[in-house]
Amino acid sequence: MEKAQHKKGRQFPLNLYNRLEQKLKGKQEELAEDPQAEPEQKPETVPAEDKSMIKCPKCGKMVERDRVVKKRYICYECGGYFRVKTKNRIRMVADYKTFEPWFEDMEVSNPLDYQGYEEKLAAAREKTGLNEAVTMGRCKIFGEDAVIGICDSRFLMASMGHVVGEKITKGIERATELKLPVFMFCCSGGARMQEGIVSLMQMAKTSAAIKKHGEAGLLYSTILTDPTTGGVTASFAMLGDVIMAEPGALIGFAGPRVIKQTIGQELPEGFQTSEFLVEHGFVDGIVLRENLKKTLHFLIKSHQCIGKNTYADFDKHKGFRFVLSEELKEQTWLAAPRSAWEKVKAVRQVERPAASDYMEYIFDVFVEGHGDRGVHDDKAIIGGIAFLEGQPVTVIADIKGKDFAECQERNFGMPLPEGYRKALRLMKQAEKFNR
């Protein structure tokens, strides 16, 4: 009975640092009492010149730390992306000194009384300086308010325990109350094994908070970084209105080695990379770090439910009549009438203007979104977000191609089912965000 009560009331932190200090002191006393014990070998000091060099995780070359930092933690030899600490990610996207962390004093517990779990948490806190694997908070991005969440792989591989799930859920719920967009930087090995079924329950909890956030007409966007796997991929990482990914990031549920051993087949080249997922319709696009902050600001501006004075808000009592300009009238008068067959031949000309050509002249800016979120990115249909005279609009177009190779790639402008699903997804977003 006493044992059961002890398990129930045991919570972290419970003088863990004191206990760890006592263990270390006990070891030192044992060495002092035993004269035959070998003295502890001190680790070799690293030369000062070596500290200025770091190893690239992609190409394996030793590169200069300062140059890598200046390039936003990108290898200048191969272009590979280093994993980024929480504070550095905040510097990349948030305006100077505008980040306000939330829920930093949230209590941590060991729900299953897993042996050694509390010590691992204490070691991870001491190593990273973080309270948990995720940091939620409010900031400004080029003056626009937003909520950001950042997963840090240094903290138990950013695995999702009950505190991580609770912080994300509370952060999204507060963003819903404040009517703010949410951007999640996802990086995780999945659910936290030390918490068992409790960690898996966080998948449903975070997903429910995201659904309520979306029903309020607010933007939820995710940026997938290396690696994003397991239960995080199966929950809040892939539920964004807009899903972006950093170049070369590993994204999936199970790892490629496990899948290969399970199916007994060779996997395609680039399997489970961010580029592979764009091609197969799961990710909207690749975002480079030098464009990251600008991209987030663009998404905030293009997903603001402004209400009136948008192109979706027509006044029923106001008439509209289109009048040809004098230049267009002159072109119409000078154009010789064509027969039906001449019109058919003109339509069949490969070099005729395509929708993408018109879009360059009509819209101030156009950003394409990819995929149907399930099978493939049908290149016969292009769609995305554009600005027309300062107003955000959704654009969907059919593209055939300008040469034989492009026509083959775009299936001669004939959409497949995934093309229609992509168009439908964009239409639903347009309805949700009043574009």
Side-chain angles (χ1 to χ4, degrees), residues 117 156-162 164-165 187-203 228-236 252-253:
Y117 180 38
L156 298 181
M157 202 52 219
S159 53
M160 181 166 63
H162 72 286
V164 171
C187 171
S188 179
R192 191 167 293 177
M193 58 170 289
Q194 291 89 346
E195 297 189 18
I197 191 66
V198 177
S199 66
L200 297 179
M201 292 168 64
Q202 310 310 310
M203 298 167 61
T228 302
T229 58
V232 169
T233 304
S235 57
F236 66 86
F253 185 72

Side-chain angles (χ1 to χ4, degrees), residues 344-353 401:
V344 170
K345 289 194 294 183
V347 169
R348 289 180 176 177
Q349 291 180 359
V350 179
E351 63 273 11
R352 74 187 188 281

Side-chain angles (χ1 to χ4, degrees), residues 41-215:
Q41 294 182 355
K42 295 182 179 180
E44 296 181 1
T45 56
V46 181
E49 58 270 18
D50 291 341
K51 292 182 180 179
S52 64
M53 306 293 288
I54 53 177
K55 187 176 181 179
C56 174
K58 301 297 182 182
C59 65
K61 294 182 180 180
M62 298 300 295
V63 291
E64 298 177 23
R65 183 186 297 271
D66 291 341
R67 289 183 63 184
V68 169
V69 172
K70 288 180 180 178
K71 286 181 65 67
R72 296 180 177 85
Y73 300 92
I74 303 173
C75 177
Y76 54 82
E77 292 287 347
C78 68
Y81 276 44
F82 286 78
R83 293 175 185 173
V84 178
K85 298 178 182 178
T86 299
K87 62 178 182 179
N88 295 330
R89 183 71 72 180
I90 293 171
R91 289 196 194 105
M92 286 183 186
V93 299
D95 295 346
Y96 184 62
K97 289 187 177 181
T98 62
F99 182 74
E100 171 196 340
W102 290 347
F103 318 116
E104 289 296 286
D105 56 349
M106 190 174 291
E107 188 178 3
V108 182
S109 64
N110 186 357
L112 303 183
D113 198 24
Y114 194 94
Q115 187 177 2
Y117 180 38
E118 295 172 349
E119 285 77 6
K120 285 187 176 181
L121 286 171
R125 285 186 167 192
E126 185 177 0
K127 175 185 175 182
T128 62
L130 302 172
N131 293 328
E132 250 296 350
V134 69
T135 300
M136 297 291 297
R138 177 177 181 171
C139 70
K140 289 185 180 292
I141 301 175
F142 289 123
E144 297 288 339
D145 287 314
V147 174
I148 61 173
I150 303 165
C151 299
D152 198 315
S153 61
R154 298 174 300 153
F155 199 106
L156 298 181
M157 202 52 219
S159 53
M160 181 166 63
H162 72 286
V163 175
V164 171
E166 187 68 11
K167 287 183 75 171
I168 293 172
T169 302
K170 282 182 173 292
I172 295 172
E173 288 175 346
R174 184 176 289 185
T176 306
E177 294 173 1
L178 299 173
K179 300 187 182 303
L180 295 176
V182 178
F183 297 98
M184 280 297 304
F185 290 87
C186 304
C187 171
S188 179
R192 191 167 293 177
M193 58 170 289
Q194 291 89 346
E195 297 189 18
I197 191 66
V198 177
S199 66
L200 297 179
M201 292 168 64
Q202 310 310 310
M203 298 167 61
K205 184 166 68 175
T206 55
S207 300
I210 293 167
K211 180 175 176 59
K212 290 182 179 179
H213 187 75
E215 288 174 349

Side-chain angles (χ1 to χ4, degrees), residues 350 400-413:
V350 179
K400 181 178 180 180
K402 290 293 188 70
D403 52 45
F404 184 72
E406 188 180 0
C407 286
Q408 279 189 316
E409 184 183 17
R410 299 187 182 277
N411 196 30
F412 293 87

Side-chain angles (χ1 to χ4, degrees), residues 209-230:
I210 293 167
K211 180 175 176 59
K212 290 182 179 179
H213 187 75
E215 288 174 349
L218 299 168
L219 171 67
Y220 173 72
S221 177
T222 56
I223 301 92
L224 311 181
T225 66
D226 182 63
T228 302
T229 58

